[in-house]
Amino acid sequence: MTTLEVKDLHVSVANPEGGDDIAILKGVNLTVNSGETHAVMGPNGSGKSTLSYAIAGHPKYTVTSGSITLDGEDVLEMSVDERARAGLFLAMQYPIEVPGVSMSNFLRTAATSVRGEAPKLRHWVKEVKGAMSDLGIDPSFGERSVNEGFSGGEKKRHEILQLGLLKPKIAILDETDSGLDVDALRVVSEGVNRYAQAENAGVLLITHYTRILRYIQPQFVHVFLGGRIIKSGGPELADELEANGYEQFTQAASAGA
């Protein structure tokens, strides 16, 4: 059993106009265990992506108080690469391009770092081809630079390809549905479900739409507003959001600001 635990997390960013830092997260509490899928839902600007980047260790975000632990180990004391080796994975909303680094080299280097040794080439080639086939990725993409010239859907498929090959303990998916058409959404979601089932992994799915929840079904849904979780429930909470939107929760968020 793996447990990611976030306790009373406060996070700020530098003020671009100078002066005091801007508080983004204002006391987030969340626990994700192996085999669980949690959906964090909220409108743009609520701080959902900040939560994902803070867990992953993005240097732009400063944790001012609170804690993040993975199986009792202090995540905040780990570097970004140490967090990845410990079993954390972030699929970014906007995957970056890395010119000059081929997908095949990138994937094998990442797998070597996470696994502690280079995968045997023959087995690795078979593993990658199978994973690409499952996601409908043309094998020729392996020789292209990471995400360079890829469409939004192609970038998201390659994020899920990494997920399936690296096999993390906890996957954080930051608006993975953003920019996907119906077919790509289905393929990407199937990839997430395959990974979660095979690894008995914990999944933290960040989104503001319910459409991806038709394919990736969470056991837990959290409403995120004003930099914190203001309500948690089961899948029925997502249905409530679909029907009535976030406005019903804004008063509660403002009251605790």
Side-chain angles (χ1 to χ4, degrees):
M1 174 69 73
T2 293
T3 299
L4 172 68
E5 188 169 21
V6 178
K7 285 186 178 180
D8 195 26
L9 187 68
H10 291 71
V11 173
S12 64
V13 296
N15 188 332
E17 298 179 358
D20 294 339
D21 288 353
I22 301 171
I24 305 296
L25 301 188
K26 304 171 183 178
V28 177
N29 293 284
L30 180 66
T31 301
V32 180
N33 295 305
S34 295
E36 296 179 352
T37 297
H38 292 248
V40 173
M41 304 187 67
N44 288 329
S46 59
K48 304 184 307 299
S49 292
T50 296
L51 174 61
S52 69
Y53 286 125
I55 295 172
H58 195 298
K60 174 182 175 182
Y61 302 93
T62 301
V63 175
T64 55
S65 65
S67 64
I68 305 172
T69 58
L70 182 67
D71 295 334
E73 297 293 324
D74 187 354
V75 169
L76 298 178
E77 290 297 319
M78 301 178 187
S79 62
V80 173
D81 59 308
E82 287 171 339
R83 298 181 198 206
R85 286 196 294 271
L88 293 176
F89 178 91
L90 171 63
M92 294 181 287
Q93 181 180 0
Y94 302 109
I96 62 172
E97 298 183 3
V98 188
V101 178
S102 71
M103 281 296 304
S104 58
N105 286 338
F106 169 76
L107 290 170
R108 193 159 190 260
T109 299
T112 298
S113 179
V114 168
R115 299 180 187 185
E117 61 179 5
K120 302 296 184 184
L121 191 57
R122 182 183 302 176
H123 297 295
W124 175 248
V125 169
K126 183 178 180 180
E127 187 178 354
V128 172
K129 283 185 176 179
M132 283 186 166
S133 177
D134 287 339
L135 289 166
I137 298 173
D138 191 302
S140 65
F141 274 67
E143 299 313 310
R144 293 177 60 178
S145 292
V146 176
N147 291 327
E148 189 174 29
F150 290 10
S151 69
E154 288 167 344
K155 288 181 179 180
K156 295 302 177 69
R157 290 184 195 223
H158 280 84
E159 291 282 282
I160 304 309
L161 175 64
Q162 295 168 45
L163 176 66
L165 292 171
L166 299 180
K167 301 176 174 58
K169 297 175 181 177
I170 302 287
I172 304 160
L173 311 179
D174 184 20
E175 300 200 24
T176 295
D177 52 339
S178 176
L180 296 183
D181 60 31
V182 173
D183 291 332
L185 178 62
R186 177 183 52 79
V187 170
V188 163
S189 298
E190 289 173 351
V192 173
N193 289 332
R194 272 194 305 273
Y195 146 76
Q197 183 175 10
E199 304 302 321
N200 189 36
V203 176
L204 180 58
L205 177 65
I206 295 171
T207 184
H208 54 254
Y209 295 119
T210 59
R211 64 175 191 154
I212 194 171
L213 305 187
R214 299 168 194 160
Y215 301 94
I216 303 173
Q217 298 179 346
Q219 294 91 16
F220 307 94
V221 175
H222 310 278
V223 180
F224 204 95
L225 280 170
R228 63 189 179 280
I229 292 170
I230 64 167
K231 186 172 182 179
S232 297
E236 71 282 352
L237 184 52
D239 297 332
E240 184 180 345
L241 288 170
E242 176 77 2
N244 302 311
Y246 295 106
E247 187 174 352
Q248 59 185 312
F249 299 106
T250 57
Q251 186 174 356
S254 299

